[in-house]
Amino acid sequence: CGPVGVIDPEVGVIKLSPLARPRKTLALFFNHAGHPNVMSGENYLISPDYPGLAERLLEKEFGGTAIFINGAQGSMDIDGLKDRDWVGVNRVGKALADAVARTTEWIEPSPKAAIRGAVANYTVPARKITDAEMAWAEEILGQTGGAIKAVADGVGDDYKATLYKHLRQIQDKAVPMEQVCIAIDDCALISFPGELFTEIGTRIKAGSPFRYTYILDLGNGSIGYLPTRTAIRQGGYEPDTREVDGSAEEIVVAQSLKLLRRVAGMR
């Protein structure tokens, strides 16, 4: 069994420095679509996972503040989760920090950067729970009484049954969406209030009028996962726990590109 879907290997970096020399680094913003879940669900320690290690390494090397920003991470795990422990955190965190450090070598200063932005508000249809799904949920709820047991990874049928009952009650209410786009010269940052599947993120980036475009996942709230129609047909944890209709994929791509074009036109 091999990988399902696509990956986004791109690392985006924005470096803030004073105009006067010496140009010490004030901040590094770096964006990557890898899901920050190297540590397994059996780990009960609170940690920032591999992005936190990357931040610490970059702050040690460059000074200032390093800030990791999630990309379209909904479907992109790291290396098949082959070492879900501190060894994996060190391996992936160091690799990310190294990629960011190498990228900074190509950054040209822009003393008169043009900054502009805009916001888009719209709705997407809520997920419709079928009669068959509801019948299954009622059977599970009859067995559990609505109680939900904690599991190390993912969710159990008890959680999904409770979720289906909730979604059934609100399925006629559209899901509100807000996206923010901020552009710095020919680089655009566009937020999404949830976890976009990576394939959707790459579609938005490919259609953007900007030279560089980066998705900011989990920005200003979370509507949960937004999978592709293909992923919904395949099933699995993310499609099973989604709160939006399959048509949300096309709506979000269209609205994102519309927002990006609007900001691009502000030059």
Side-chain angles (χ1 to χ4, degrees):
C1 180
V4 177
V6 303
I7 65 169
D8 183 356
E10 190 173 34
V11 174
V13 182
I14 297 176
K15 182 179 180 180
L16 270 62
S17 300
L19 292 177
R21 294 184 182 277
R23 287 180 176 156
K24 296 182 179 180
T25 300
L26 300 178
L28 280 175
F29 298 88
F30 59 106
N31 175 264
H32 185 249
H35 208 294
N37 65 335
V38 168
M39 294 297 281
S40 73
E42 297 176 351
N43 161 63
Y44 295 103
L45 299 175
I46 297 175
S47 83
D49 213 278
Y50 77 88
L53 174 61
E55 289 174 337
R56 292 196 300 272
L57 293 173
L58 290 166
E59 288 174 352
K60 183 178 180 180
E61 180 175 355
F62 293 95
T65 302
I67 301 175
F68 169 79
I69 308 172
N70 302 287
Q73 64 178 34
S75 53
M76 198 169 106
D77 283 323
I78 297 296
D79 290 353
L81 303 177
K82 65 182 180 182
D83 46 4
R84 302 191 67 185
D85 50 28
W86 291 114
V87 173
V89 169
N90 287 327
R91 176 177 59 82
V92 179
K94 290 178 180 178
L96 179 57
D98 183 59
V100 173
R102 292 199 311 271
T103 302
T104 61
E105 299 174 2
W106 297 89
I107 295 177
E108 295 291 337
S110 182
K112 296 183 179 180
I115 302 176
R116 61 261 192 228
V119 179
N121 289 280
Y122 57 97
T123 62
V124 298
R127 176 183 178 180
K128 302 295 188 292
I129 300 299
T130 66
D131 291 341
E133 288 173 328
M134 197 61 221
W136 172 86
E138 293 290 359
E139 181 181 353
I140 298 298
L141 290 169
Q143 299 170 5
T144 66
I148 300 175
K149 294 181 179 179
V151 294
D153 270 317
V155 296
D157 286 349
D158 49 6
Y159 173 87
K160 289 198 292 184
T162 302
L163 175 65
Y164 287 5
K165 181 179 180 179
H166 170 68
L167 294 179
R168 179 82 168 209
Q169 294 170 343
I170 61 172
Q171 64 183 13
D172 295 325
K173 297 180 180 179
V175 179
M177 303 282 289
E178 180 178 83
Q179 289 184 272
V180 177
C181 179
I182 299 174
I184 305 172
D185 283 345
D186 208 17
C187 174
L189 309 174
I190 182 167
S191 70
F192 177 76
E195 294 191 65
L196 275 178
F197 265 40
T198 309
E199 294 89 337
I200 301 175
T202 55
R203 281 181 62 189
I204 294 170
K205 293 169 76 169
S208 171
F210 289 88
R211 183 180 181 185
Y212 304 105
T213 301
Y214 301 110
I215 311 294
L216 312 184
D217 247 13
L218 296 169
N220 298 330
S222 177
I223 62 160
Y225 289 101
L226 199 156
T228 62
R229 287 186 182 273
T230 299
I232 291 173
R233 290 194 296 269
Q234 294 169 337
Y237 162 65
E238 296 91 348
D240 286 351
T241 58
R242 64 189 165 89
E243 300 182 14
V244 295
D245 183 73
S247 62
E249 173 184 359
E250 289 79 14
I251 296 172
V252 167
V253 170
Q255 290 287 345
S256 297
L257 295 179
K258 180 180 178 181
L259 177 59
L260 286 162
R261 288 192 291 267
R262 176 150 61 100
V263 175
M266 294 178 179
R267 300 179 185 181

